[in-house]
């Protein structure tokens, strides 16, 4: 059985909150709660908010007409009703809709001899405006959320480990499929792995930052064409002592988070992806989402007057010669080689 993902490949966090006792906190921020609901529940609440409001005030209009005796004098032209041409609950319901939505067909109209009807008309107009503002605001915010913009931000299906400038690096590729760019794009990566402290405390799904250029500013991206993001495995990296053999026996997840502002709307969007390394309990099986000794194929080509990106090879990798040892062992071997070369060169002072 494979380990469960912390973040799915489509960016959804695989975490559910259970046994939440203080549920009243959701009601204190009812606007955000409604925006976060799924579309089917949002549409249901949207319809119920209007329908129940119309029914409630329609019932009150019918009660006023019934208590005044308007329904008993339908054919009496000498009788002045509260609402003209209101002859039952259906017409009261229609008048409630016309009042709240300000349609005003002109067939049913309130008269000036009904003070309770005037008060109810003002109350419904005010409450109807509040319901319109609240529900339309919720739907507008939900529609304008930049979540769908993140669907065009793509990540490579694999991460690779190979040499770059004689140093082991963990790399993955990101790209933007749209012509409108992500402004102020930045990227970060985290290692999700359970660990046990020296005091014996077990920390499930501990999060460790993976440096992707925060100190040098390389984490701020100009995402016009696909970019290869590199994490240099140095002494500060959690992969400093990880070799290829240990990677095949390890169990961890790398979560990548890309953030930026949508150029068209100025709203912030976030895209997430993960690379899982795990093994089956009954056999040492490596999930192929992190490939050791591979490199991404180039995508950019120069055409007449422009650069062309071939997204057909976005996920393609090729094997390259890569040491199977850890970055620590590679650095130690390089240091011994440099020291041997230094002492093997005769000094001119000895001549």
């Amino acid at each position: 059985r494979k380990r469960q993902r912390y973040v799915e490949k489509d960016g959804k966090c695989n975490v559910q909150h259970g046994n939440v006792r203080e549920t009243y906190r959701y009601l204190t921020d009812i606007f955000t709660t409604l925006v976060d609901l799924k579309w089917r529940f949002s549409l249901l609440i949207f319809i119920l908010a209007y329908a129940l409001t119309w029914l409630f005030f329609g019932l009150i209009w019918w009660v006023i007409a019934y208590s005044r005796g308007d329904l008993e004098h339908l054919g009496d032209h000498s009788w002045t009703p509260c609402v003209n041409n209101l002859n039952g609950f259906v017409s009261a319901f229609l008048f409630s809709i016309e009042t709240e939505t300000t349609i005003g067909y002109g067939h049913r109209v309130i008269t000036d001899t009904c003070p309770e009807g005037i008060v109810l008309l003002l109350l419904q107009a005010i409450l109807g405006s509040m319901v319109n503002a609240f529900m339309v605001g919720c739907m507008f915010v939900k529609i304008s959320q930049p979540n769908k913009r993140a669907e065009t931000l793509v990540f490579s299906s694999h991460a690779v480990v190979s040499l770059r400038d004689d140093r082991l690096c963990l790399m993955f590729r990101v790209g933007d499929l749209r012509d409108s760019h992500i402004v102020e794009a930045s990227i970060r990566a985290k290692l999700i792995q359970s660990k046990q402290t020296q005091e014996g405390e077990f920390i499930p799904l501990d999060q460790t930052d993976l440096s992707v250029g925060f100190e040098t500013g390389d984490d701020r991206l100009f995402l016009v064409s696909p970019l290869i993001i590199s994490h240099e495995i140095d002494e500060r990296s959690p992969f400093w002592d990880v070799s290829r053999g240990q990677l095949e026996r390890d169990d961890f997840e790398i979560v990548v988070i890309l953030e930026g502002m949508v150029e068209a709307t100025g709203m912030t969007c976030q895209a997430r992806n993960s690379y899982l390394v795990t093994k089956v309990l009954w056999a040492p099986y490596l999930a192929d989402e992190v490939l050791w000794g591979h490199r991404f194929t180039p995508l950019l080509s120069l055409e007449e007057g422009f650069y062309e990106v071939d997204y057909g090879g976005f996920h393609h990798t090729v094997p390259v010669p890569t040491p199977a040892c850890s970055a620590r062992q590679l650095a130690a071997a390089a240091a011994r080689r440099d020291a041997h070369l230094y002492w093997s060169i005769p000094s001119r002072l000895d001549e």
Side-chain angles (χ1 to χ4, degrees):
R1 187 181 61 181
K2 295 184 179 181
R3 201 192 74 162
Q4 189 70 32
R5 284 185 180 274
Y6 188 65
V7 175
E8 299 292 344
K9 294 297 288 184
D10 57 359
K12 295 181 180 179
C13 297
N14 196 16
V15 177
Q16 296 183 0
H17 301 283
N19 197 21
V20 179
R21 300 178 183 273
E22 299 178 351
T23 55
Y24 67 90
R25 295 182 180 271
Y26 295 103
L27 298 178
T28 57
D29 189 12
I30 187 64
F31 186 85
T32 306
T33 301
L34 292 179
V35 171
D36 290 340
L37 289 177
K38 295 182 179 180
W39 267 108
R40 54 180 177 268
F41 297 115
S42 297
L43 292 176
L44 178 62
I45 293 176
F46 184 84
I47 295 173
L48 288 178
Y50 283 102
L52 294 178
T53 305
W54 296 336
L55 285 172
F56 173 74
F57 283 102
L59 179 62
I60 297 179
W61 284 114
W62 179 82
V63 169
I64 292 177
Y66 180 81
S67 62
R68 283 174 50 90
D70 295 343
L71 301 179
E72 300 175 358
H73 299 80
L74 294 178
D76 190 358
H77 296 286
S78 63
W79 179 266
T80 303
C82 182
V83 179
N84 289 328
N85 300 308
L86 195 151
N87 53 18
F89 178 75
V90 175
S91 59
F93 176 69
L94 293 176
F95 181 72
S96 175
I97 297 176
E98 295 172 11
T99 302
E100 189 166 334
T101 58
T102 65
I103 294 176
Y105 290 116
H107 183 65
R108 279 174 292 271
V109 61
I110 190 171
T111 61
D112 56 359
T113 60
C114 182
E116 62 270 27
I118 296 175
V119 173
L120 180 61
L121 180 67
L122 295 176
L123 182 62
Q124 185 175 3
I126 294 173
L127 292 180
S129 299
M130 295 175 62
V131 171
N132 285 331
F134 188 81
M135 298 309 301
V136 173
C138 288
M139 296 302 293
F140 176 77
V141 172
K142 192 171 183 63
I143 292 173
S144 61
Q145 281 183 325
N147 296 339
K148 295 302 180 182
R149 178 62 177 90
E151 296 292 336
T152 55
L153 298 174
V154 294
F155 298 85
S156 58
S157 58
H158 302 86
V160 299
V161 177
S162 61
L163 290 175
R164 174 175 279 190
D165 294 331
D166 291 333
R167 296 183 179 181
L168 274 179
C169 295
L170 173 70
M171 294 172 285
F172 54 90
R173 182 147 58 187
V174 298
D176 189 1
L177 301 180
R178 286 190 181 273
D179 293 332
S180 59
H181 308 308
I182 295 294
V183 182
E184 295 293 332
S186 62
I187 195 165
R188 51 197 172 100
K190 286 185 175 293
L191 173 66
I192 310 296
Q193 187 177 32
S194 301
K195 74 172 186 178
Q196 189 171 6
T197 63
Q198 297 180 358
E199 295 77 14
E201 179 187 4
F202 179 75
I203 303 178
L205 302 178
D206 181 64
Q207 300 184 12
T208 305
D209 283 331
L210 297 178
S211 177
V212 287
F214 178 77
E215 297 83 0
T216 60
D218 292 337
D219 62 326
R220 294 186 289 273
L221 309 179
F222 184 48
L223 199 58
V224 178
S225 60
L227 299 176
I228 297 177
I229 310 302
S230 175
H231 164 67
E232 182 179 337
I233 304 178
D234 53 14
E235 59 274 3
R236 297 174 298 176
S237 172
F239 300 114
W240 177 241
D241 294 317
V242 176
S243 62
R244 180 172 184 173
Q246 184 177 354
L247 181 69
E248 295 177 354
R249 300 186 301 270
D250 216 335
D251 191 7
F252 62 86
E253 184 175 353
I254 300 172
V255 176
V256 181
I257 304 170
L258 175 63
E259 294 179 328
M261 290 190 303
V262 181
E263 187 178 28
T265 62
M267 302 181 69
T268 303
C269 72
Q270 185 182 93
R272 296 181 292 266
N273 190 32
S274 72
Y275 301 99
L276 180 66
V277 172
T278 187
K279 56 185 178 180
V280 180
L281 296 180
W282 50 267
Y285 171 78
L286 176 66
D288 59 351
E289 293 184 10
V290 178
L291 304 177
W292 189 287
H294 281 248
R295 181 182 300 163
F296 290 107
T297 57
L299 302 179
L300 202 62
S301 62
L302 178 61
E303 303 296 334
E304 294 184 2
F306 62 92
Y307 293 94
E308 183 178 1
V309 179
D310 181 15
Y311 277 96
F314 184 83
H315 302 285
H316 292 175
T317 62
V318 293
V320 292
T322 304
C325 61
S326 63
R328 178 192 290 272
Q329 296 171 338
L330 187 63
R336 290 194 299 269
R337 183 178 64 251
D338 294 341
H340 176 73
L341 292 175
Y342 176 80
W343 291 109
S344 62
I345 298 177
S347 174
R348 293 185 178 181
L349 297 178
D350 297 335
E351 296 179 356

